[in-house]
Amino acid sequence: MEVSSKENAQFFSNNTVLPVDRSSFKSESSASKEKQSCCGGIKIFLGALSFVYFAKALSGSYLKSTITQIERRFDIPSSLVGVIDGSFEIGNLLIIIVVSYFGAKLHRPRIIGAGCLIMSVGTFLIAMPQFFMGRYRYERFPSTINSTASISPCLQDKSQTPLSALEKSQAKINAGCEKEAGSSMWIYVLLGNLLRGIGETPIQPLGITYIDDYAMEENAALYIGCVQTVAIIGPIFGFLLGSLCAKLYVDIGFVDLDSVTITHKDVQWVGAWWLGYLIAGVISILASIPFWFLPKHLPKPEKRKDSSASSEQSKFITEDNKDQHKSYQQQVKIAEMAKDFLPSLKNLFGNPVYILYLCASIIQFNSLIGMVTYKPKYIEQQYGQTSSKTNFVIGLINIPAVAFGIFSGGLMMKKFRINVLGAAKLSLASSFFGYLLLLSLFAMGCENSDVAGLTVSYHGTKQMTDHEQALFSECNSGCTCSKNDWDPICGENGVTYISACLAGCQASNGSGKNTVFFNCSCVGTLESPSQSSSAVVGPCQKGNDCPKMFLYFLVISVITSYTLSIGGTPGYILLLRCIKPHLKSFALGIYTLAIRVLAGIPAPVYFGVAIDTTCLKWGNKRCGGRGACRLYNSSALRYVYLGLTLVLGTVSIFFSVAVLWVLRKRSSPQDETLSANGERGTYGTKSRKDNFVNSDCLIQTTYWPEKETRL
């Protein structure tokens, strides 16, 4: 026993064992260090990219929250506001292909950092008109301004001339009329938004693919889901910032606020829209800092090095594709990259799944972008809410529902190990049920406000004749009134009158917000239309049922937002599963380009044009010409706004069904299911290799690299 034990001890003390142990320890140590370096690097990049997504989402959502403020401040219609909103997409369009294709081969973190700086410059430029324009001026009858002058609203004495008419006539004579009206200053907002779009371009295609390349395969989808979830926090703060700024008067810090005679409930109120852009610009600068210190490449995790054994796409990509992927990672010249541009483009557009999903996304984004852009306006006009409350509700209720939906989609993909076919089904189901819920919003609207001469006659009956001609009636025939003024008052009978003059008011008492008009010949009960009565400054509130309808709208809107957002992550996963690995960044760039050109640019414009058709009373610029809309037809606005959204969403569902049909046709039964441990059988793998090795198109449609999410 002693001899044998000595022999064993001598055997294990031989030199042949020690080097093996040292090399083993060395390899384990280097692997551990590489794993820590990889995980640390990708997590730092993940944090930096999340903050950038937050910054760009905050500035983008803040722009949405200031749509009505910009419209009133520059006195422009909704269609022109849509052009301003679409200029962001035009900025993306200018450089998206170049950035997504060539940027993937260059220093991606630094390109993202430069984009953030450009984005901040554009954000600052949007706010600049506030410092170049004169102070904001709104229409008000002289007695509502802190004045001691006693002027009859009805102006039966022709020698009395209203101050507003004097101002207008003086403005027309004044050579600086165009400058005071600020009719062209909105161009600065358009150019700033254009520049902001240029700066935002590299963030999504380069940032997402950087995570895709250096994250562990099983964590990539979750990482991207986290980035998109953090991005949703940006709109929350963006709309809350919009709510805060909407409560502050536009010229705060420049004028005495005690002299302001309108409140934030007034349709002519303009908040400090410019203040939020200065804050968003500073945040964009801070977001750019970390990217200047991140490396061009990160070490890949061990599981990603041997992709032939662990990656699902390796089972369907031929050796040529693998060699092409390796050469992609090498340093090449710009001219050599350009030679492969057209073949890569042809490869993408020859993929039926990619094309069909692209069409479905374009139509759906037309629906969603139009709906989100004018949602604040819709809530304000349909339910009589203020801009501040509207932005607060959207930021605090709707946006978190979207965030939770996107995160839920990513969690489902990881927990249930959903494959490409399952992702298509989940995306389709979320769209179908989301738009089905949207259909119920048609029944949750408010009736038109009773406005004399526009929605009802001066005798309280429904208005049937031409609106402009109906502004004058027997009760105000003896007054010298202008049909272009918008200075609404609320009569005791619950009817809103466009001005005190058109209400036939003979006298007034008080000043500013507390002005009360008396002896108004047009204000009276329906039983005694001729009875004179009083009125107060400001329009009447909507019906008693409107607050209840608004509550119902919020509940359904939150559920709809959550349901539609669940399909975001599976949809993006589907996009990446149907393309080759070396074309991921390029495919994302083309996808983003198509969304910008065919959805982001036109949707706000034609939604705005359609909404303008429902306007009942247009404002007038001081120097002449049509200004912003003062009053909309609530019923027509509801049908136009929700109808456009629903029709476009329904069309996108048909394309999604086509995507699912093609995937089912291209995949075999073995492809549709995974075993309990998530691995496929060797026979299924072999048969798939044999079936798809000669068909490039089929390889793409079944390819599934483990990645991404959609916002």
Side-chain angles (χ1 to χ4, degrees):
M1 293 293 294
E2 291 181 0
V3 174
S4 63
S5 62
K6 287 181 181 179
E7 290 176 351
N8 291 335
Q10 185 178 4
F11 174 77
F12 283 107
S13 64
N14 285 340
N15 291 336
T16 57
V17 176
L18 292 176
V20 173
D21 291 340
R22 290 192 188 109
S23 62
S24 175
F25 290 143
K26 185 177 180 181
S27 63
E28 289 178 4
S29 176
S30 61
S32 176
K33 288 181 180 179
E34 184 176 350
K35 182 177 180 181
Q36 291 177 357
S37 174
C38 170
C39 292
I42 196 63
K43 287 181 179 178
I44 292 174
F45 182 85
L46 180 65
L49 187 66
S50 298
F51 188 51
V52 169
Y53 263 71
F54 169 82
K56 80 180 184 70
L58 183 145
S59 59
S61 60
Y62 183 76
L63 177 68
K64 302 292 186 186
S65 73
T66 57
I67 285 293
T68 55
Q69 308 293 313
I70 291 174
E71 182 177 329
R72 295 170 187 171
R73 182 65 181 96
F74 297 97
D75 221 3
I76 54 179
S78 296
S79 55
L80 188 52
V81 172
V83 174
I84 294 175
D85 186 75
S87 63
F88 175 84
E89 320 298 345
I90 297 175
N92 271 261
L93 168 63
L94 295 176
I95 62 170
I96 184 74
I97 292 183
V98 176
V99 168
S100 61
Y101 186 73
F102 294 106
K105 284 92 173 174
L106 304 175
H107 200 301
R108 285 179 282 185
R110 289 184 181 175
I111 293 177
I112 294 174
C116 291
L117 293 179
I118 296 174
M119 190 166 60
S120 66
V121 173
T123 307
F124 286 133
L125 184 61
I126 295 176
M128 287 301 103
Q130 172 63 22
F131 304 99
F132 301 148
M133 299 174 68
R135 303 285 76 86
Y136 175 59
R137 302 178 72 179
Y138 48 87
E139 297 181 56
R140 267 294 176 261
F141 184 74
S143 64
T144 62
I145 304 173
N146 295 330
S147 172
T148 58
S150 177
I151 301 178
S152 171
C154 189
L155 293 175
Q156 288 180 329
D157 183 359
K158 301 298 188 289
S159 64
Q160 298 188 60
T161 306
L163 185 61
S164 59
L166 288 173
E167 288 178 342
K168 290 182 179 180
S169 61
Q170 182 65 28
K172 290 180 180 179
I173 298 174
N174 192 348
C177 177
E178 289 80 6
K179 182 179 180 181
E180 189 212 0
S183 57
S184 60
M185 298 299 287
W186 57 267
I187 295 177
Y188 286 91
V189 181
L190 186 144
L191 293 177
N193 203 32
L194 182 79
L195 200 60
R196 195 174 66 84
I198 291 175
E200 190 265 352
T201 303
I203 295 175
Q204 179 175 326
L206 302 187
I208 293 298
T209 52
Y210 194 89
I211 293 178
D212 183 30
D213 288 339
Y214 301 114
M216 296 182 68
E217 227 173 353
E218 61 269 20
N219 292 333
L222 184 62
Y223 283 169
I224 296 168
C226 290
V227 170
Q228 300 288 11
T229 303
V230 172
I232 293 296
I233 300 177
I236 295 176
F237 282 88
F239 277 102
L240 292 180
L241 181 62
S243 175
L244 175 62
C245 293
K247 283 186 177 180
L248 305 176
Y249 186 63
V250 59
D251 293 323
I252 185 173
F254 300 97
V255 298
D256 182 10
L257 297 182
D258 293 333
S259 64
V260 179
T261 59
I262 58 176
T263 66
H264 63 280
K265 297 180 180 180
D266 196 289
V267 72
Q268 296 187 82
W269 174 270
V270 176
W273 61 276
W274 51 273
L275 184 60
Y277 289 109
L278 299 181
I279 298 174
V282 172
I283 293 176
S284 296
I285 292 177
L286 295 177
S288 69
I289 296 176
F291 290 96
W292 299 102
F293 304 98
L294 287 166
K296 181 179 181 181
H297 299 293
L298 289 175
K300 287 200 172 185
E302 287 294 324
K303 291 185 179 180
R304 297 296 293 272
K305 289 183 177 180
D306 187 15
S307 60
S308 61
S310 62
S311 180
E312 184 180 5
Q313 70 265 27
S314 65
K315 301 172 184 179
F316 314 121
I317 304 298
T318 61
E319 291 301 322
D320 288 340
N321 292 334
K322 292 178 181 179
D323 294 339
Q324 200 170 4
H325 184 59
K326 291 178 181 178
S327 63
Y328 153 75
Q329 296 175 343
Q330 299 173 355
Q331 187 70 27
V332 291
K333 296 181 180 179
I334 299 294
E336 294 176 353
M337 295 184 217
K339 291 179 181 178
D340 195 41
F341 179 80
L342 288 179
S344 299
L345 191 64
K346 183 180 178 182
N347 198 305
L348 284 180
F349 285 103
N351 185 337
V353 175
Y354 181 80
I355 290 298
L356 286 173
Y357 180 75
L358 184 62
C359 292
S361 297
I362 289 172
I363 303 298
Q364 187 177 37
F365 271 97
N366 268 274
S367 172
L368 298 179
I369 289 173
M371 180 176 67
V372 171
T373 300
Y374 294 101
K375 192 168 189 176
K377 174 186 278 291
Y378 178 76
I379 294 177
E380 289 178 39
Q381 294 294 332
Q382 186 68 214
Y383 302 103
Q385 303 297 321
T386 64
S387 297
S388 177
K389 185 175 180 180
T390 298
N391 293 328
F392 181 81
V393 165
I394 293 176
L396 205 62
I397 299 178
N398 269 84
I399 302 301
V402 175
F404 188 49
I406 289 178
F407 184 75
S408 297
L411 199 60
M412 289 179 188
M413 292 292 295
K414 181 176 176 65
K415 184 175 181 180
F416 299 105
R417 304 181 66 87
I418 298 175
N419 62 6
V420 63
L421 200 59
K425 291 178 181 178
L426 185 57
S427 180
L428 174 61
S430 71
S431 296
F432 177 77
F433 287 108
Y435 286 107
L436 197 63
L437 285 168
L438 190 66
L439 187 63
S440 64
L441 293 180
F442 279 96
M444 300 175 189
C446 295
E447 295 298 325
N448 288 317
S449 299
D450 290 338
V451 182
L454 293 180
T455 61
V456 296
S457 72
Y458 282 88
H459 298 290
T461 58
K462 291 297 180 182
Q463 179 66 34
M464 301 299 294
T465 58
D466 182 76
H467 296 150
E468 294 293 331
Q469 295 178 356
L471 291 178
F472 298 100
S473 180
E474 294 179 0
C475 60
N476 57 28
S477 59
C479 302
T480 306
C481 305
S482 171
K483 65 180 182 181
N484 295 325
D485 291 336
W486 177 261
D487 188 10
I489 64 170
C490 180
E492 285 185 350
N493 56 355
V495 176
T496 299
Y497 296 85
I498 290 179
S499 67
C501 182
L502 287 172
C505 299
Q506 308 296 329
S508 63
N509 185 21
S511 63
K513 305 170 188 176
N514 301 318
T515 303
V516 179
F517 298 94
F518 297 100
N519 299 326
C520 302
S521 58
C522 295
V523 180
T525 60
L526 298 181
E527 293 79 9
S528 304
S530 61
Q531 179 184 352
S532 296
S533 189
S534 62
V536 295
V537 175
C540 299
Q541 296 298 320
K542 290 222 172 189
N544 296 329
D545 293 337
C546 207
K548 183 172 64 176
M549 286 296 179
F550 180 54
L551 182 61
Y552 293 156
F553 170 82
L554 288 182
V555 173
I556 298 299
S557 179
V558 167
I559 299 175
T560 302
S561 299
Y562 173 76
T563 305
L564 287 173
S565 301
I566 288 178
T569 303
Y572 233 26
I573 294 291
L574 172 63
L575 175 66
L576 286 187
R577 297 307 186 264
C578 70
I579 54 178
K580 295 178 181 178
H582 67 282
L583 294 178
K584 285 181 301 184
S585 181
F586 186 46
L588 276 177
I590 295 296
Y591 175 83
T592 307
L593 170 67
I595 297 298
R596 305 293 190 198
V597 176
L598 302 178
I601 297 175
V605 177
Y606 67 75
F607 262 80
V609 171
I611 288 173
D612 281 342
T613 62
T614 67
C615 183
L616 293 177
K617 180 68 174 71
W618 288 98
N620 288 272
K621 296 183 179 180
R622 294 182 180 275
C623 300
R626 194 173 74 176
C629 184
R630 304 301 189 193
L631 180 69
Y632 289 89
N633 185 326
S634 297
S635 300
L637 176 62
R638 181 168 69 254
Y639 289 121
V640 166
Y641 174 77
L642 296 178
L644 264 177
T645 303
L646 193 63
V647 168
L648 291 169
T650 303
V651 174
S652 72
I653 289 176
F654 284 109
F655 279 103
S656 298
V657 171
V659 170
L660 185 60
W661 181 79
V662 172
L663 284 174
R664 280 185 174 277
K665 186 177 179 182
R666 299 292 186 182
S667 60
S668 61
Q670 291 90 346
D671 304 331
E672 299 183 17
T673 57
L674 291 173
S675 60
N677 60 358
E679 297 178 352
R680 301 180 185 273
T682 56
Y683 175 78
T685 303
K686 187 173 185 290
S687 63
R688 286 194 62 164
K689 260 190 176 181
D690 295 338
N691 290 338
F692 293 108
V693 69
N694 295 322
S695 176
D696 180 61
C697 179
L698 297 185
I699 288 171
Q700 295 181 63
T701 57
T702 54
Y703 161 61
W704 187 17
E706 313 261 338
K707 323 321 163 211
E708 268 166 269
T709 349
R710 172 178 65 190
L711 175 54

